[in-house]
Amino acid sequence: MLSPLREHLRDTFWFAPVAAMAAIGVLWWACAALDTEIVETLRQEGAYDEIGDLAGIAEDAKTVVTTVSSAMMTFIGVVFSISLVAVQMASGQFSPRVVRIFVRSRITKATLSVFLATFLLSLLVLTSYESETDPRLVTAVPLLQSILTLAMVGLSLLLFLTYVNAMLRLMRVGHVVDRIARESFRVVAKTPWYGGGVCELGPVTGQVVHRGRAGVLRDVHVARLVRVARRHGLVLRLLPRIGDFVVPGTPILAVHGGAVPRGLASSVSVGIERTFHQDLGFGPRQLADIALRALSPAVNDPTTAVQCLDRIVEFLAALAHRPLGAVAYRDGRGGGAVRLVQDVPGWVDLVDLGFAEIRGCAAGSPQVSRRMLAGLDDLLALVPEDRREPLLRHRVLLTELVERTVPQAADRVFALEADRQGIG
């Protein structure tokens, strides 16, 4: 029930660097004030020799600070130019959707933030150096500022090594598939259980229409909608599903039990692409995209498709006994009345999303057909009776496809043998 603002900021690449530079500006100001206070205290005590020693140390550090100032921006440009080329290669090999992994990566943002903060800090520290060398006339010695700059340089080097390792992992399909699966399970963990049906909400007494630009329904501000519904004694239902493309004039919220309150439309976020925040089907969609790209004649990498099938089966197994089709958010008061109902993909939708397109490309790859059959068999052993139909349907269709397209009987038998590893 948290605001989606945090998720939206994670999808940006500017917020963390700007916040880091603002923080380093405040930290530099504090260090500059302490440096001035130290010199003033020593002057009052007549410790001019100590002031001269501090000035000598700061002067020695000035060489490092000057070098950092001149080299850091060039270093940033080279590092991130190479990184963008690596991301472009990964998006072409796997799916354009993997670019968001780079954008949302904490280590990527931390590295850029620290690099830019170090560059800004070095410039600020250079402004604190004085041309005066007489200890009796010096007003400030940038000692703490120089130490802070050296610490930021060390942190930059450490983050650089970590960042290179993260970028190399991003180019490995296993890591990409694992990241998508983990984010999918986070969505499942945040989605409340709800076994009711939308027909129990009563008659519709009003609707909220989308008036903004056309785009993908990214998420809704659940906490705000629940508060408004509780205040007015209403039940709200989100009409399109998260991930649907909506155009101006599309009804987005149905109101049950009263008049339409003002300001509901601002609680719905529409953007240019889907996000993981509340989108239960976005993870399987990306896994299917990567598998389809791997099975294309240009790539011809069935092992990658098998890795995607592994995660699709894992995802569906986690939802085997979970109520689907709708989720409800309760207000926590008065017996926990339902205040917002949101449609989510049903079991049939998720099974079709995970298997339909990959199955169509599996005829020429016995590795994929064998892994898909094993996955379907595993799911059939897990799900309740009322969820077996779509799994059986995909098994029958896959069998018919292989029998229709594979000419040799021995090859057909081999391709239709269930194998969790595909081919050993």
Side-chain angles (χ1 to χ4, degrees):
M1 308 235 337
L2 297 175
S3 164
L5 176 61
R6 182 177 66 89
E7 291 296 322
H8 292 182
L9 290 178
R10 285 192 65 191
D11 284 331
T12 66
F13 212 66
W14 61 266
F15 178 75
V18 170
M21 289 189 289
I24 206 65
V26 173
L27 192 57
W28 166 79
W29 177 83
C31 288
L34 288 174
D35 284 333
T36 302
E37 185 66 25
I38 290 172
V39 172
E40 184 63 27
T41 301
L42 292 175
R43 178 182 289 109
Q44 292 175 0
E45 297 176 354
Y48 297 110
D49 291 339
E50 285 78 1
I51 294 177
D53 293 340
L54 293 180
I57 296 173
E59 190 65 27
D60 293 338
K62 183 178 180 180
T63 303
V64 177
V65 175
T66 304
T67 303
V68 171
S69 175
S70 60
M72 183 57 73
M73 188 55 68
T74 301
F75 182 64
I76 293 172
V78 172
V79 169
F80 280 88
S81 295
I82 296 174
S83 301
L84 291 176
V85 172
V87 171
Q88 184 178 12
M89 293 176 59
S91 66
Q93 181 179 359
F94 306 137
S95 168
R97 259 65 62 187
V98 304
V99 175
R100 66 179 303 279
I101 297 178
F102 174 81
V103 174
R104 290 172 61 90
S105 171
R106 289 187 176 94
I107 186 62
T108 300
K109 293 179 180 178
T111 303
L112 180 61
S113 301
V114 171
F115 282 6
L116 291 176
T118 303
F119 173 70
L120 176 61
L121 178 62
S122 65
L123 296 180
L124 294 174
V125 172
L126 287 176
T127 64
S128 299
Y129 281 93
E130 298 180 356
S131 58
E132 182 60 58
T133 59
D134 187 351
R136 298 177 180 275
L137 300 177
V138 170
T139 59
V141 176
L143 178 64
L144 295 179
Q145 302 170 60
S146 301
I147 294 175
L148 177 61
T149 303
L150 296 178
M152 291 294 292
V153 171
L155 180 60
S156 298
L157 295 176
L158 179 62
L159 282 176
F160 171 68
L161 295 176
T162 308
Y163 175 73
V164 171
N165 179 66
M167 289 303 302
L168 292 176
R169 293 177 66 193
L170 179 61
M171 300 179 67
R172 295 161 52 189
V173 65
H175 173 71
V176 173
V177 169
D178 179 68
R179 281 286 300 272
I180 294 172
R182 284 191 282 117
E183 292 213 41
S184 300
F185 283 112
R186 290 194 191 102
V187 179
V188 173
K190 292 187 297 185
T191 303
W193 288 64
Y194 179 57
V198 295
C199 58
E200 302 169 1
L201 304 180
V204 176
T205 56
Q207 287 185 336
V208 177
V209 176
H210 176 56
R211 299 297 184 187
R213 64 175 183 174
V216 175
L217 181 60
R218 302 176 63 186
D219 49 38
V220 296
H221 196 318
V222 173
R224 183 186 300 165
L225 290 175
V226 170
R227 284 197 305 269
V228 172
R230 181 178 64 237
R231 187 181 310 122
H232 293 85
L234 306 173
V235 180
L236 304 176
R237 177 189 172 192
L238 186 66
L239 296 176
R241 286 202 310 222
I242 301 296
D244 286 357
F245 190 86
V246 296
V247 298
T250 302
I252 52 175
L253 283 168
V255 179
H256 301 260
V260 179
R262 299 180 59 183
L264 289 181
S266 62
S267 300
V268 178
S269 174
V270 174
I272 60 175
E273 62 180 357
R274 297 168 69 174
T275 69
F276 264 114
H277 185 208
Q278 298 171 358
D279 195 340
L280 195 61
F282 190 42
R285 174 70 274 163
Q286 291 185 81
L287 294 173
D289 286 346
I290 296 174
L292 290 172
R293 181 71 61 91
L295 292 175
S296 66
V299 179
N300 195 22
D301 182 14
T303 302
T304 294
V306 167
Q307 289 180 283
C308 294
L309 283 171
D310 292 339
R311 299 299 184 170
I312 290 172
V313 172
E314 179 189 11
F315 179 75
L316 292 174
L319 298 175
H321 298 277
R322 188 185 183 97
L324 295 170
V327 296
Y329 298 90
R330 303 176 183 272
D331 59 13
R333 299 180 183 178
V338 173
R339 295 301 180 186
L340 173 65
V341 175
Q342 173 184 330
D343 289 342
V344 298
W347 174 253
V348 176
D349 299 324
L350 293 173
V351 171
D352 290 341
L353 178 58
F355 292 121
E357 293 176 308
I358 302 176
R359 173 176 50 78
C361 300
S365 175
Q367 182 177 179
V368 177
S369 63
R370 288 160 63 94
R371 178 62 187 99
M372 185 176 292
L373 287 170
L376 290 169
D377 290 344
D378 289 341
L379 290 172
L380 285 169
L382 291 174
V383 301
E385 188 65 30
D386 60 344
R387 291 190 171 183
R388 294 172 58 88
E389 187 277 328
L391 300 172
L392 293 172
R393 169 166 53 85
H394 282 287
R395 203 184 195 292
V396 170
L397 291 174
L398 178 59
T399 302
E400 293 177 349
L401 178 65
V402 171
E403 291 177 344
R404 186 171 62 251
T405 57
V406 178
Q408 299 296 327
D411 291 339
R412 290 196 297 270
V413 172
F414 180 77
L416 293 176
E417 181 179 347
D419 184 352
R420 291 192 180 91
Q421 294 188 18
I423 302 178

